[in-house]
Amino acid sequence: MRKGMKLRKLLLIAVMALSVVMVSACSQKKSVLDDVKVKYEGYSGHGIADLDNEKINSNMVDVFAKKLKLDDYLTEKLKSNELNAEVLESEATSDERDKLVKVERWVKDTRVRVNKAQNLKNGDKYVVTIKTGDKENPIKNESKTYTVKGLKKTKKVTAKDIAKDLNVQAYGYNGKGLIAITSKKYKGEVMFHIKKNGSLSNGDKVTIKLPSEFTDYEKFDFRGKKEFTYTVQGLKELAATKDLDEIKKVTDSMVNDEYPYGEFEKYVNTFINMYFVPTSAYSDYSDEKDTSVELNDKSGLEASRKDKITIAVLYTVKDDYDEDDEADDSNTRVVEVTVGNVSIEGDHTNIDSIDTEDDGTVSTQDSSLEVLQHNLAANGIKVK
């Protein structure tokens, strides 16, 4: 009798224990990351992780559907994101709508986070974390760690390596030189920023900083300084001409024709300075220099082969006519004489062949002499 009672007690305890296990199992939150995979694309150090979000969403819907006992039709509608207000009104019961409100709440409550999704390298740990705050949400709080692998290998490069495939050339005139950078290997819209570009002289050492298109290029494992040095050479000499006196005779004649000293007009014309200004710069008297150099832009190089200059000469012109023969400084003005379309060949210009009627001007200036001198020096070379 005692043995039977003892056996019944043991059976009762076993049944109770099994019930606790079943209740506990039914109430456990479910993982949505167990079978989720990650793909990796690109080059090591610049890799991108492609997390299978579609699989996560599908797993989440399965967990919600099982918890709420949704039928297969609504479950598939949720997975395909085709569940809209029209479907709810026409096909879902009141009880199903209540359950779907919970689904919406749990979806908003479930947060998927990753520690890093870009600039990955082989061997990195890629961590996906699921977090919820709603106690009723059946999704399990968890983290899963993946090891990054399969990314393509990068090539170790330095600025010196890249410079070998860049053709750097100086062009223009000594003191006003510019840089052109071309390449057969590298293409695309790449901009270099070079200090003093437009004011370079032969012998200058120019530091050329590599743009991010090179230093952050996904195929490269860039090492060391992100710059290299170029020594300027080959610029034409503006001030090497030996015919400055001949040029001055031409401009003296032009200003004297415009402001003569005669019986009725008495102008005293005084030479101040002579400048040689590259034609491309002459129309823009400005201290602002464009330091941007676009890769493979050959327009400046091509134009420099046909470079011409404008000769600009400053004079002061004083109206010396006064019935009382009294000097009056208020009658002094600044005049600029220009001769354009001038070429430099060797150590001489072609001033003798220039038609000053077509390519010459004589104009009174509103700016002060100091301002004009500053502007001309910024764009050209003072030669006399």
Side-chain angles (χ1 to χ4, degrees), residues 273 275 285 312 314-315 333-336 363-379:
N273 296 120
Y275 299 84
Y285 288 163
L314 296 177
Y315 292 85
R333 70 198 76 181
V334 179
V335 171
E336 181 179 12
S363 57
T364 303
Q365 300 297 305
D366 294 328
S367 301
S368 68
L369 178 61
E370 291 76 14
V371 169
L372 292 168
Q373 288 172 321
H374 173 81
N375 289 341
L376 286 168
N379 289 279

Side-chain angles (χ1 to χ4, degrees), residues 67-85:
K67 176 74 173 180
L68 298 170
K69 297 180 180 178
L70 292 175
D71 62 29
D72 291 343
Y73 175 77
L74 288 178
T75 301
E76 290 307 312
K77 285 290 183 182
L78 281 169
K79 286 185 178 182
S80 60
N81 200 27
E82 295 177 359
L83 201 59
N84 52 43

Side-chain angles (χ1 to χ4, degrees), residues 26-267:
C26 290
S27 63
Q28 277 185 344
K29 296 195 174 191
K30 305 296 182 183
S31 170
V32 295
L33 291 178
D34 281 345
D35 56 353
V36 173
K37 296 180 180 180
V38 180
K39 293 181 181 179
Y40 308 101
E41 299 175 356
Y43 289 80
S44 187
H46 304 277
I48 298 173
D50 181 13
L51 178 64
D52 192 350
N53 288 299
E54 188 174 336
K55 182 61 176 173
I56 293 177
N57 291 336
S58 177
N59 289 349
M60 286 173 58
V61 171
D62 284 337
V63 172
F64 296 151
K66 187 173 181 179
K67 176 74 173 180
L68 298 170
K69 297 180 180 178
L70 292 175
D71 62 29
D72 291 343
Y73 175 77
L74 288 178
T75 301
E76 290 307 312
K77 285 290 183 182
L78 281 169
K79 286 185 178 182
S80 60
N81 200 27
E82 295 177 359
L83 201 59
N84 52 43
E86 185 178 341
V87 172
L88 287 175
E89 287 296 328
S90 62
E91 301 179 18
T93 66
S94 176
D95 179 57
E96 287 172 334
R97 289 183 199 134
D98 290 340
K99 292 177 180 180
L100 290 170
V101 169
K102 281 190 176 182
V103 170
E104 183 180 10
R105 188 181 81 207
W106 291 341
V107 168
K108 290 180 179 178
D109 177 59
T110 304
R111 297 178 299 280
V112 182
R113 298 285 186 269
V114 297
N115 63 329
K116 186 180 181 182
Q118 298 180 31
N119 297 323
L120 298 170
K121 63 179 182 296
N122 289 324
D124 278 352
K125 300 302 179 184
Y126 177 72
V127 183
V128 182
T129 301
I130 305 287
K131 282 194 175 183
T132 65
D134 190 333
K135 291 182 179 180
E136 293 185 8
N137 191 329
I139 300 296
K140 176 184 176 182
N141 285 332
E142 62 178 324
S143 290
K144 186 174 181 180
T145 301
Y146 301 81
T147 300
V148 178
K149 59 184 179 180
L151 293 173
K152 300 174 187 176
K153 290 184 179 181
T154 54
K155 180 182 178 182
K156 294 179 182 179
V157 297
T158 65
K160 187 176 181 180
D161 295 327
I162 293 175
K164 291 177 182 177
D165 293 304
L166 296 176
N167 181 25
V168 183
Q169 292 176 270
Y171 67 92
Y173 294 96
N174 191 26
K176 299 297 171 185
L178 298 105
I179 293 292
I181 302 176
T182 58
S183 175
K184 292 182 179 179
K185 181 175 181 178
Y186 300 114
K187 308 296 180 183
E189 295 181 3
V190 180
M191 300 299 295
F192 296 82
H193 297 282
I194 300 173
K195 291 182 178 179
K196 291 181 64 179
N197 194 47
S199 301
L200 298 173
S201 301
N202 288 323
D204 284 352
K205 293 189 180 299
V206 177
T207 298
I208 299 178
K209 294 184 178 181
L210 293 174
S212 60
E213 286 85 351
F214 293 101
T215 58
D216 295 338
Y217 186 38
E218 64 173 8
K219 293 184 180 181
F220 290 165
D221 178 8
F222 196 87
R223 305 293 180 92
K225 290 186 176 180
K226 300 177 180 180
E227 60 190 38
F228 64 95
T229 302
Y230 167 76
T231 301
V232 178
Q233 57 185 331
L235 296 174
K236 303 173 187 177
E237 291 294 342
L238 270 175
T241 59
K242 296 180 179 179
D243 55 353
L244 298 181
D245 288 340
E246 286 78 2
I247 295 171
K248 184 176 177 297
K249 289 178 182 178
V250 172
T251 59
D252 283 350
S253 176
M254 292 171 67
V255 74
N256 290 336
D257 287 345
E258 189 73 20
Y259 298 100
Y261 192 92
E263 182 178 356
F264 302 105
E265 293 179 300
K266 297 181 182 295
Y267 293 103

Side-chain angles (χ1 to χ4, degrees), residues 169-179 196-204 232-241 276-282 289 300 303-311 341-346 348-350 378-383:
Q169 292 176 270
Y171 67 92
Y173 294 96
N174 191 26
K176 299 297 171 185
L178 298 105
I179 293 292
K196 291 181 64 179
N197 194 47
S199 301
L200 298 173
S201 301
N202 288 323
D204 284 352
V232 178
Q233 57 185 331
L235 296 174
K236 303 173 187 177
E237 291 294 342
L238 270 175
T241 59
F276 284 180
V277 185
T279 301
S280 58
Y282 189 73
K289 298 298 181 185
S304 70
R305 297 191 184 102
K306 302 176 182 179
D307 264 348
K308 294 190 176 181
I309 65 168
T310 294
I311 297 169
N341 206 28
V342 178
S343 299
I344 297 178
E345 299 170 5
H348 282 75
T349 67
N350 65 336
N379 289 279
I381 299 289
K382 184 169 76 170
V383 294

